[in-house]
Amino acid sequence: MLVFGLCATLSLITVALTQTIQNGIPVDQENVAPAVDEVASNAALSTIDYFSFEQSQLTTNVITNLTNYNLSDVALFDFDDADEALRKRGGRACKIYPGDTFWPSDSIWRLFDILLGGALIKGVPPAAPCYQDWPEFDQDKCASITAQWMTPQYQMSEPLGIDYPIFEGVSCLPPTLTRTGANCTLGGMPSYVVKATNVAQIQLTVNFARNLNLRLNVKNKGHDFNAKSTSGGSLSVWTHALQNIQYLGSTYSHAPSGYQGPAFKIGSGVQALKLYEAADELGYHVVGGIARTVGIGGGYIAGGGHSPLSSMYGMAADQVLSMEVVLPNGRFVSVDQNSFPDLFFALRGGGGSTWGIVTSLVIRAYPKTPVTTLTYRFGTGSQVSQETFWKGMDVIFAKFPEYTDAGMYSYWSIACTNVTECSFSMAPQWGNDMDAAALKNLSTPLFNELTDLGIPVDGINYTEYSGVVSAVTGTWAAETEQVGVWSYHTGSRLFPRSNWEDAASLATQTAALRQSVEAAGMMLGYSIKSAVNPSVNQTNAVNPAWRNTLLHALLGAVWGAEATPEEIANASKGLVELMQPWRDASPGAGAYLNEADINEPDWQQAFYGSNYAYLYQLKQKYDPWGLLYAPTAVGSEDWYITDQIDYYPTQNGRLCPK
């Protein structure tokens, strides 16, 4: 049934006819209702009831009604056919940009907002209150914004907020956090944002952007390292508000996959900690990351999603049983291994902002088990030479196969102030389904070997937790999640198990890590594997390199608070070069696309591996318009952003086809 109401319908007819004859009577909220059809909760082809926000949809009936009422510009909101578009596709054109002749007029944006039900937000940089040339200027508000700026909670609550502004272009930050004398522009941020609270709004936005050749952006929480959550001159869909969580039961039966057991249906805007807490209260845990504010159903799962539980159960993307998705043609569909199986493959690991806009997911859960963590550290000193230190690292590295095969996860760092002074910190080693005694028993041989080398180990601490929630919150305090800065960037590499099976390969790998960390000053590492898990569907687009990985390592480039774009580009180029020994030590492997260098050479192979050719074909099949674009996403090589410099690509420019 269409939600117009009798009065609204009569008003719509009057206004539409007046518009048709261009009589000047304005369309407003009083005479035109939102374009939405309320469908039954059990109408989903997945047989899993829609969330209430998914019942509100844009349907063909809505478009037909609007057309029958002679509302002008209805065609801007209509659906399209991907097969027909692919068959007829000619040359693509640059996306329409603010100031262009064909940029929508204010009256069109007003009509769009009315049909959305008032969900349209005009793009204003979050830090605009800090700048006198913006109408929002307010010194007290600026002080409040500055105080919150480096928290992910603030950035995800803002329509244009993103955690890492470096590849947006650093267009508008609080004055104390940016270059001296910097100004504030919209830069690489969206011109308009739709705060999505129902599916119809997402469909309208997709259709509007596609039909007008606008650049479309998707933001969930804004956590992406490489600014996939923002884009200059764009219309953005903001899925942050889709926060529903539903427990489907301990004996839930998922017909398409045959899975039977505990599962949750979650909105794509649910952040990790909220889901962990909901699962924990019911005696379960789910596969997710350590950053509590990341949106589980956004780019995290779309990129694969590693977790402290991965060595037990596989990647986060492996846990997905089904999804509800708005496609680039505007249609809302259920996706699982029987319905749109190729999309089900792509959406689980094939990258975010590429295939469609996910509104909800069904993911499996596992019985809650205890976690014990271990922290310790050692370093060079009067009794430990640099060579002895690296022999100690050989001991650490040698344990990775054993530890990951035991279902463990380790998060650690090496810091070197120069080539003679280095330190190692385990923070922490994470023992799934272990108590302190079990983890001590597993770790004792390692500490004995370090003692035999004459390396004193400090700060040894075992901590027992009841499960994932308490382990995450007890290990990583909320204030340790700092964002909003632009003084560094990281690259990463996945190192394969085969390196541990050959002494020469392992020695080459260690030499490469040492060379880079001594030059860069610091590296982070995750000892982790993607466990084989017959209880879930692991035939998906997760980078095949993950299936053979024992180490996910990260290295960074840094620059000063006054760095120019050219200096950032030089540092970024240096990072690419600094990581080449890592690539040489892991031929044919890859990198984790969610935590990788935007300048990664041969990124198609590095991020997607042997899946890339198939994924590229799927991109043409489902998005022949090139509606969804993100840097290093599948098909992004067909586009470029104007006015960029090598090694410092930002979202501040016009998106054009190559």
Side-chain angles (χ1 to χ4, degrees), residues 180-456:
T180 303
N183 59 6
C184 174
T185 67
L186 198 56
M189 290 174 272
S191 296
Y192 286 91
V193 176
V194 173
K195 182 180 180 180
T197 56
N198 65 46
V199 165
Q201 293 166 338
I202 298 174
Q203 293 176 282
L204 278 166
T205 306
V206 166
N207 289 349
F208 186 67
R210 185 193 62 248
N211 292 329
L212 279 172
N213 193 34
L214 303 178
R215 185 173 179 186
L216 183 66
N217 180 74
V218 184
K219 177 197 169 184
N220 187 348
K221 297 292 184 278
H223 186 76
D224 189 80
F225 283 18
N226 291 326
K228 292 181 180 178
S229 308
T230 190
S231 53
S234 69
L235 172 61
S236 180
V237 176
W238 186 25
T239 61
H240 170 70
L242 308 183
Q243 303 249 4
N244 300 42
I245 301 175
Q246 179 186 358
Y247 174 52
L248 298 176
S250 62
T251 59
Y252 167 71
S253 181
H254 186 257
S257 66
Y259 169 76
Q260 186 168 347
F264 288 84
K265 178 174 178 176
I266 63 169
S268 58
V270 170
Q271 55 186 292
L273 185 60
K274 298 294 185 184
L275 180 58
Y276 298 161
E277 290 171 340
D280 187 82
E281 289 177 3
L282 294 164
Y284 298 106
H285 55 210
V286 295
V287 177
I290 61 176
R292 64 189 70 196
T293 55
V294 167
I296 288 282
Y300 171 72
I301 277 179
H306 71 73
S307 165
L309 299 179
S310 288
S311 295
M312 294 279 285
Y313 307 120
M315 306 296 284
D318 298 338
Q319 317 307 316
V320 178
L321 301 175
S322 64
M323 300 168 152
E324 304 293 340
V325 185
V326 176
L327 300 180
N329 64 10
R331 299 294 182 181
F332 185 50
V333 300
S334 299
V335 176
D336 56 41
Q337 65 188 59
N338 293 338
S339 176
F340 296 92
D342 51 2
L343 267 182
F344 188 57
F345 177 91
L347 285 161
R348 296 174 302 134
S353 299
T354 305
W355 313 103
I357 301 176
V358 175
T359 63
S360 69
L361 311 87
V362 175
I363 59 176
R364 74 149 297 176
Y366 299 87
K368 178 180 173 181
T369 57
V371 172
T372 297
T373 63
L374 164 63
T375 56
Y376 61 90
R377 62 185 180 273
F378 63 84
T380 55
S382 59
Q383 298 177 342
V384 181
S385 68
Q386 186 75 337
E387 293 307 314
T388 301
F389 171 84
W390 282 101
K391 288 179 181 178
M393 290 311 308
D394 286 337
V395 170
I396 299 290
F397 293 152
K399 299 297 183 183
F400 286 1
E402 177 188 358
Y403 287 177
T404 56
D405 288 345
M408 292 175 61
Y409 161 95
S410 302
Y411 174 67
W412 50 269
S413 63
I414 300 174
C416 295
T417 56
N418 52 51
V419 296
T420 61
E421 297 181 2
C422 290
S423 61
F424 171 82
S425 175
M426 179 62 74
Q429 193 164 296
W430 174 297
N432 286 304
D433 201 15
M434 292 184 185
D435 59 15
L439 188 53
K440 285 180 181 178
N441 184 59
L442 194 65
S443 304
T444 295
L446 180 145
F447 291 134
N448 289 342
E449 290 182 56
L450 292 175
T451 299
D452 290 344
L453 288 171
I455 298 176

Side-chain angles (χ1 to χ4, degrees), residues 62-64 66-67 70-78 111 211:
V62 174
I63 299 298
T64 300
L66 294 173
T67 303
N70 293 322
L71 184 68
S72 60
D73 299 309
V74 172
L76 298 180
F77 308 101
D78 203 355
L111 172 61
N211 292 329

Side-chain angles (χ1 to χ4, degrees), residues 599-613:
N599 295 301
E600 177 69 32
D602 193 12
W603 56 264
Q604 293 93 333
Q605 187 282 326
F607 300 162
Y608 305 95
S610 58
N611 291 327
Y612 192 78

Side-chain angles (χ1 to χ4, degrees), residues 470-488:
S470 55
V472 168
T473 57
T475 302
W476 294 282
E479 56 268 21
T480 62
E481 289 190 39
Q482 289 196 346
V483 301
V485 295
W486 58 280
S487 57
Y488 68 92

